[in-house]
Amino acid sequence: MNKILIKNGRVIDPANNVDRKADLLIAGDTVEKIGTVSEDCSDATIIDAAGKLVTPGLIDIHVHFREPGDEEEETIASGSAAAVAGGFASVVCMPNTKPAIDNQTSVEFVHRMGRQARKTFIYVMGAITKGRQGVELAEMGLMAQAGAIGFTDDGAGVQDTSVMLRAMKYAAMFDTVIAQHCQDDSLGTCGVMNSGYNSTILGLPGIDPLAEEMMLWRDIQLVKKTGIRYHAQHISTAGSVKIIAQAKALNLPVTCEVSPHHLLFTDDAISDYDTNYKVNPPLRSAKDIDALKQAVKDGLVDALATDHAPHLQSEKELEFLAAPFGIASLECALSLYVKALIEPGIVDWPSLISLMTNRPAAVMGLDRGKLAEGGRADVTIIDPDAEYTIDADKFYSKSGNCPYDGWKVKAKVEKTIVAGEIRYPRRVRNSRV
Ligand SMILES: [Zn+2]
Ligand SMILES: [Zn+2]
């Protein structure tokens, strides 16, 4: 049986309140022991993790791998390679592919391609409505049977309140989560950036913060009626934080995620029409960033999620109005979170790891994101002090639409182990590494 012994690392496992120096022995796809391993391990691959963090395999619950339909931007294979390079042992793919993932066969396709790629573990969310058109409910039951872990029309919000209510009632029939890209199109459909001073100066149509907050507020009223687990994707405004806080105070089953770009940039970044900063929801104001960071600190944010959205350079070179929304950030995400949250002292390492492991797993109802003897061996090894320069040309992702290109950052993913196999940097068996 393939064995890996990770020695002398700082094991951080927030799910079990563990933060201590320990060895971790993997046998096959299972964690065999956490503690002091003194038995003979001459047949094991031995990794010296002194000075390194040994954490549960990281989880990103919001990525776009573009397959089927836009394989020139990303495939499940290239996205999976990018994921493990970023330390992610599991990711959740969004269904806004072409065609949309709105049926059982499409869900099975994504799983199959994920298994073939044999890098990160691929989960998938199905669309709430057929073709993500917001009109007719998709076959959520059949998709759930095929393994879809939740539902969203991400890329757009479900506009029609009665459709959303029916979706929640339908989803209440089985244990699943409904996630929403909150945006009321009547307040933002033509917009390409945050509505405010900068959009006025640049002459670009804006998306009002209210577009996000109105839909979030509406959905929470529907949650009160249905009791369904509801997840607000990539919240971006101070007003959304308040709405989430109120929902949580009422003990509603409401969760939310924050993306790195909403913690790192204001809409000032768009001053020279650089489309690498064109994202949806858009970059907001310094006040919004402060509110999001405070929400992370207060525990109101359940997960950090990249919203990794690869696009071709030729598309991003279009004028600002026509260019697509999105940033590719899967491979440098950990360092971005460190810059946004650890370096300013907002959270410590165990809290950050929790926001990337057990807490996102709980949002999606996954039995992942923890380390336990006898449990699945998904492990990420991180050098917290390593400094490096982000180089988008070296991404495993097919796309380099990354405004962080050239940034000097800290914290490097050393290894990503998925189901007991070293999937990043490469598979190594029975040798000293
Ligand atoms: Zn979205
Ligand atoms: Zn998205």
Side-chain angles (χ1 to χ4, degrees), residues 140-159:
M140 291 195 279
L142 292 174
M143 285 192 277
Q145 268 178 25
I149 58 164
F151 300 91
T152 175
D153 274 0
D154 184 43
V158 177
Q159 302 298 313

Side-chain angles (χ1 to χ4, degrees), residues 4 66 105 127 169 175 201 217 226 263 344-345 373:
I4 301 171
R66 307 296 188 211
T105 310
K169 284 182 172 169
D175 183 26
I201 294 294
W217 183 87
T226 58
L263 294 168
E373 291 177 1

Side-chain angles (χ1 to χ4, degrees), residues 62 64 94 154-155 181 234 307:
H62 191 145
H64 297 269
M94 294 298 112
D154 184 43
H181 171 129
H234 45 46
D307 194 7

